[in-house]
Amino acid sequence: MQKPAKRSPFRPGPGALVTAAFIGPGTITTCSLAGAQFGYALLWGLTFSVVATIILQEMSARLGIITRYGLGEALRTQFSTPASRFITAILVVSAITIGNAAFQTGNILGASIGLHALFGDETLPLRFWVALTAAAAFLLLLAGSYKLIERALVGLVIVMSLTFLTTAIIISPRLPEILRGMFIPSLPSGSILTLVGLIGTTVVPYNLFLHASAVQERWKDASGLGEARTDISVSVILGGLISMAIVVTSAVAFFGTGNTITDASGFAVQLEPLLGQWARYVISIGLFAAGISSAITAPLAAAYATTGILGWKRDMTSWRFRMVWMFILLTGTLFSMLGFRPLEVILFAQAANGILLPVIAIYLLSVMNSRKIMGDNTNTRLSNIAGIIVVLVALGLGVRSILHVIGII
């Protein structure tokens, strides 16, 4: 009697890229502000974000594995008339490519601030660390090796997990209050923009482009769908726990004290009562890992999205692919050198992301229900219901945040 084949142990894959992309300086900033200002009240936003991310990224993975298309290529195929293709291309290129340039500024600044604080050498200006961070990201992307990038990002995700989860466990927060915040929605006065930022920093539109292309490097046919679903679920849940750990730590340190966070140095302050002089080193390592991981994935996602939607060759070694990520990296580096305030850049990018999300999600749902593209692997009714709920919630929060900004509510 033939023995059943042994299942291979779980091995982190493209899902780690998704986690590495959304756990950036923007996540640390937004989650810290959420905890400091509103305690555990907005944790439910992260719970929603984790579920929403798994739902949308599963669709993205299924698209890439079944069709061998990236999302950009699928949109180009779905909208075949010149007018619709032009509008879609303009939207994707402007939203993803230009948006990622803003993200890249926060990514590079975050990683650079982490290095600057870690080594504590005041004789070296922040610009030196900006150049060093940009050079590291440039060399890794220039290598053109997906496996090398994946391994580097898996390692950085592990560093972030150890840093932030261990810190949250050490502070021994009140579990009943955390669970209440995770599963009972509330919206304290003045929290709408922070909530949209929490969702925008987790359910990242450019990750849909990145993931659809990245899964093709690991799985070649539909037999890999089960493993791909496990990969993205484990990775996103881990990322969500990291984000929640940051909120919890900040809530314990700041909420109700009258103190607040004004810049990245505030992240170390929240750990000082617990870790003493080690606080600076712990948060600096976490901030650097978050910044450099996102500084790699943002240009990569922009290159996948742009080359796909414009019908260019989607190859990490092609010159057009490299020109796109080089533009994103260079733009982020220049803005970082010019002295932009990282907190303002990061919060603007996260809020814009939250507003952009429903638009990209609607495009994804359109592709996933196209028999021309997906054949017999179109969305099930349950997948569509879940996707529509995500779109409606994100759209409602986005509209409410805009009305809040212009003073209507």
Side-chain angles (χ1 to χ4, degrees):
M1 184 175 177
Q2 186 177 2
K3 292 182 179 180
K6 290 184 179 180
R7 290 188 63 182
S8 58
F10 173 73
R11 183 167 60 93
L17 273 70
V18 174
T19 299
F22 76 72
I23 302 293
T27 298
I28 299 176
T29 301
T30 308
C31 290
S32 291
L33 289 171
Q37 296 173 359
F38 307 107
Y40 304 141
L42 298 182
L43 282 174
W44 67 270
L46 287 174
T47 301
F48 166 79
S49 298
V50 167
V51 175
T53 301
I54 291 173
I55 289 169
L56 296 180
Q57 296 295 160
E58 186 278 334
M59 295 183 196
S60 178
R62 185 156 34 98
L63 169 67
I65 292 172
I66 296 296
T67 68
R68 316 309 294 172
Y69 283 165
L71 180 53
E73 293 164 294
L75 290 174
R76 183 177 174 84
T77 302
Q78 173 76 347
F79 300 98
S80 54
T81 63
S84 62
R85 181 176 286 181
F86 176 77
I87 292 171
T88 302
I90 290 295
L91 177 64
V92 169
V93 171
S94 60
I96 301 299
T97 304
I98 297 175
N100 276 19
F103 267 112
Q104 191 68 352
T105 303
N107 295 334
I108 293 176
L109 280 171
S112 304
I113 290 170
L115 284 176
H116 189 260
L118 182 63
F119 291 100
D121 189 345
E122 298 300 328
T123 63
L124 293 174
L126 184 61
R127 290 180 180 179
F128 169 82
W129 302 110
V130 167
L132 189 63
T133 300
F138 177 86
L139 292 174
L140 193 56
L141 288 166
L142 188 65
S145 170
Y146 170 80
K147 288 185 178 180
L148 177 62
I149 291 174
E150 184 184 278
R151 288 169 184 166
L153 294 177
V154 166
L156 290 169
V157 168
I158 291 172
V159 170
M160 289 186 286
S161 302
L162 293 173
T163 299
F164 297 114
L165 292 176
T166 302
T167 301
I169 292 171
I170 289 174
I171 64 175
S172 300
R174 297 177 180 177
L175 187 58
E177 293 182 14
I178 293 175
L179 292 174
R180 190 180 305 118
M182 287 175 62
F183 298 108
I184 300 178
S186 64
L187 200 61
S189 177
S191 65
I192 183 64
L193 291 180
T194 304
L195 178 62
V196 172
L198 284 176
I199 295 172
T201 196
T202 308
V203 199
V204 182
Y206 74 68
N207 268 342
L208 299 173
F209 293 87
L210 176 64
H211 197 211
S213 298
V215 291
Q216 298 175 43
E217 302 287 344
R218 171 70 75 88
W219 299 288
K220 303 303 180 185
D221 53 47
S223 64
L225 283 175
E227 190 179 347
R229 289 180 178 121
T230 301
D231 173 54
I232 192 61
S233 298
V234 171
S235 298
V236 172
I237 289 172
L238 176 60
L241 290 175
I242 294 172
S243 297
M244 290 180 186
I246 298 170
V247 173
V248 168
T249 304
S250 185
V252 171
F254 285 108
F255 184 58
T257 66
N259 298 322
T260 188
I261 298 173
T262 57
D263 55 38
S265 63
F267 306 143
V269 172
Q270 68 184 354
L271 303 182
E272 284 180 357
L274 309 169
L275 304 177
Q277 63 178 351
W278 291 100
R280 186 184 75 181
Y281 301 106
V282 170
I283 197 61
S284 297
I285 291 171
L287 191 57
F288 168 72
I292 190 66
S293 64
S294 296
I296 295 166
T297 53
L300 191 61
Y304 276 131
T306 303
T307 53
I309 198 68
L310 296 180
W312 297 344
K313 185 179 180 181
R314 186 168 46 87
D315 182 348
M316 291 182 66
T317 61
S318 72
W319 70 269
R320 281 175 168 169
F321 190 97
R322 284 176 167 170
M323 289 299 292
V324 175
W325 67 251
M326 284 182 186
F327 168 77
I328 301 296
L329 184 57
L330 179 62
T331 302
T333 304
L334 288 177
F335 283 174
S336 300
M337 292 280 192
L338 291 175
F340 278 66
R341 294 184 64 183
L343 190 63
E344 294 176 354
V345 172
I346 287 169
L347 292 178
F348 169 79
Q350 302 305 344
N353 229 18
I355 295 170
L356 174 65
L357 169 62
V359 178
I360 301 299
I362 289 171
Y363 270 125
L364 177 64
L365 284 171
S366 173
V367 167
M368 297 307 296
N369 284 282
S370 170
R371 287 200 173 273
K372 179 175 70 172
I373 294 174
M374 296 301 300
D376 294 332
N377 292 279
T378 54
N379 270 358
T380 63
R381 181 177 297 178
L382 183 60
S383 292
N384 279 330
I385 291 173
I388 290 170
I389 290 173
V390 170
V391 169
L392 290 177
V393 172
L395 186 61
L397 290 172
V399 170
R400 185 164 179 174
S401 68
I402 293 173
L403 294 177
H404 177 79
V405 169
I406 63 179
I408 294 180
I409 61 172

